[in-house]
Each structure stands twice: as C-alpha cells, then as structure tokens.
Amino acid sequence: MKAFTFERARTPAEAAAAVARTPGARFIAGGTNLVDLMKLQIETPGHLVDVNGLALDKIEPAPGGGLRIGALVRNTDLAADMRVRRDYAVLSRALLSGASGQLRNKATTAGNLLQRTRCPYFYDTAQACNKRSPGSGCSALDGVNRQHAILGTSDTCIATHPSDMAVAMRVLDAQVETVRGDGQARTIPIADFHRLPGNTPQRETALEAGELITAVTLPPPVGGRHMYRKVRDRASYAFALVSVAAIVQPDGRGRLALGGVAHKPWRVDAADAALPRGAAAAGEQLLAGARTTEHNAFKPPLVQRLLAAVLAEARRPA
C-alpha cells in the first residue's frame, strides 16, 4: 500500500471541499472495498478524508411518506430496520444476500452504491483493463468471461456492477442525495446514478469530483409482493451471476430489475409494462439487445428461468 495523508471531516460540505481541492483524494467510511483496492495498488489515493463522524447514520421518515437513509447507515442496520422489512422488503432481502455478516456490519449505504466491479481482470494489474487503465484494452472480451455483462456493454468493457442493494434501490426508484465541493446539494435519480461503460468505463457514476453522497431517499411504499432472488456459484459470500428484484401487485402489474448482467442495475420500462403478460414477455423486453460472449451464453436463459420462478412465487397466496 502506498503512503497517504489522512484527515477527519467535520461536515459533509467540508469533506466534499477537501476531496475536491486535493487531486487523487478519496472519501473513506467502512473501507470494505477501497482498502482492498489500495492494498493491491489498484486505487492509490494520496489523501483520505474520513467521513465516519458526519452523523449520516440515521434512518428517518422522508417528507411525503418515504424513508431517508443516511449515507453511513451500515448494511446490517438497514436490513434489520423494521420499516425497511415491512415496507421495502426487497431492499432488506437484497442486503442479506450480499457479502458476509462481518462485511455488512461495516459496509455503508453509500459505499455499497459505489462498489467497483469484481472483474478478475480489473483486479489483476498484469492484465489490460480499460476501467483500471483507460486505453489499455479489455482482457475480459477474449478471456474467461463467464461472470460478465450481457446488456449495455461496449467494446471497451463488459464488467458488471456487483451490488445487490443497488438492484433493489433501482426497482424502488430511490433518489441519491449529494453535496458538491462548492457546498451545493443535488439529488440524482438512481436510474441516472450509475453509468454504462461506453468509451469511458472508468467513469462509473454521475458523481462529480469531490461530490459526496449524504443520503438515499426511498419514495412512499408501493405495496405488493417484494422479491429478491440471486443465483451465484456458492450459497454465501459470492456475487450474482444473475439476480432479480421484483415488486408484483395482485393484478400482475409490477416492477423488475436485474443484477449481474450489466455495468449498472438493469431496468427496462417496457419490461414492467409487459409484466402482466407473464415472465416470458417481460424477460424478452429485459433481454432485448443482449450480447453474450463465449462463456456467458447461459445468462439469457438463466434470466428467463429465474424470472419465471420469482413471478410464480410472487403470485402464490401468502
């Protein structure tokens, strides 16, 4: 790990300003992803700004009947909150599908959204990776790419976003609240927060330099059956090959989002509209434009089967 300087911020605006004015600076909270990347020298920040003392660890009612989740709320606390379990069960289930109990005790809401890909070529500094070293190429394209993306990909990157929580946030239409380095606040719809790779896969979110996430706001509860199902290579501590977040109403209407298939949580309005016609119709819309590789051609049929299983369970009497 390379040497770095360190400071503790007293306010969100102070933290944002410190990172904005210091080239190569990063925020640190739980550190469950950043510290690992620093040990491998994939991330080499020269300065860290500790945000753990910013009192952003509360879950509170939001105006209009939703829920405001502080950026520093730990994943364990969020999954266990009775309001989340009752009104946003898809979120609680997604969180409990991720990582291990020890990591959930440290990982934060903001950090979960900002996780970097677990593509093995990103982690191997001897391999070409446009996300880690722009312009170097993408070793995954012709490599072992079983876990990689099939939707929204580009010729520069086929990495997937690893977060389970973000998939649930996407199906819930969450809003991400931030503060910029100049002290100005803004709100980013979760649909616009994560970026597709295009020609700049190193730019993973809509955040500007020094912009700090302060909270995530959930809209008022929508009811219905909340489902989260994840297929992975082992039963615990593994990232999704494919995951489905679903909210299904008694009349068959609902919302769907996929994980493990794209550079961001994947949701398609046409799939939601097709949901009353069944899993096959919704799956066809979700998978429109899918581009598979040598090793992940199993993903489209897996999406269809998983979606059918989730919807069958959602429509069974409680």
Side-chain angles (χ1 to χ4, degrees), residues 50-231:
D50 183 355
V51 297
N52 282 295
L54 299 186
L56 301 175
D57 59 351
K58 304 292 190 299
I59 305 173
E60 303 169 312
L67 207 60
R68 188 174 186 270
I69 302 160
L72 296 175
V73 173
R74 266 46 185 183
N75 288 176
T76 294
D77 296 330
L78 183 57
D81 187 271
M82 288 304 300
R83 294 161 293 184
V84 174
R85 294 175 61 188
R86 181 188 66 229
D87 298 328
Y88 306 97
V90 65
L91 177 57
S92 182
R93 291 171 179 173
L95 285 161
L96 293 173
S97 293
S100 65
Q102 294 92 332
L103 284 172
R104 291 195 297 269
N105 287 343
K106 292 295 291 182
T108 64
T109 299
N112 200 311
L113 289 177
L114 295 172
Q115 285 184 82
R116 305 208 69 187
T117 185
R118 264 47 179 202
C119 172
Y121 299 103
F122 172 72
Y123 274 80
D124 185 350
T125 56
Q127 301 287 336
C129 174
N130 288 315
K131 184 180 289 293
R132 186 186 66 249
S133 180
S136 63
C138 176
S139 295
L141 287 169
D142 296 314
V144 179
N145 43 39
R146 180 172 177 270
Q147 296 187 339
H148 287 72
I150 59 173
L151 293 162
T153 59
S154 73
D155 291 336
T156 64
C157 184
I158 56 171
T160 58
H161 192 273
S163 172
D164 293 290
M165 185 197 78
V167 182
M169 293 288 195
R170 180 67 183 92
V171 88
L172 289 167
D173 289 328
Q175 304 275 327
V176 181
E177 299 178 14
T178 72
V179 62
R180 293 177 166 132
D182 61 3
Q184 296 298 308
R186 70 165 172 156
T187 299
I188 308 169
I190 191 71
D192 301 327
F193 183 77
H194 295 102
R195 292 168 50 95
L196 291 178
N199 293 321
T200 55
Q202 73 277 13
R203 295 184 58 197
E204 297 170 340
T205 72
L207 294 177
E208 300 174 358
E211 193 166 7
L212 174 70
I213 298 174
T214 55
V216 177
T217 301
L218 303 180
V222 296
R225 293 288 294 274
H226 287 224
M227 312 292 297
Y228 189 79
R229 187 80 68 86
K230 176 179 179 179
V231 176

Side-chain angles (χ1 to χ4, degrees), residues 148-153 160 241-242 258-263 266 299 303:
H148 287 72
I150 59 173
L151 293 162
T153 59
T160 58
L241 291 170
V242 170
L258 299 179
V261 296
H263 203 252
W266 194 255
K299 283 198 174 186
V303 168

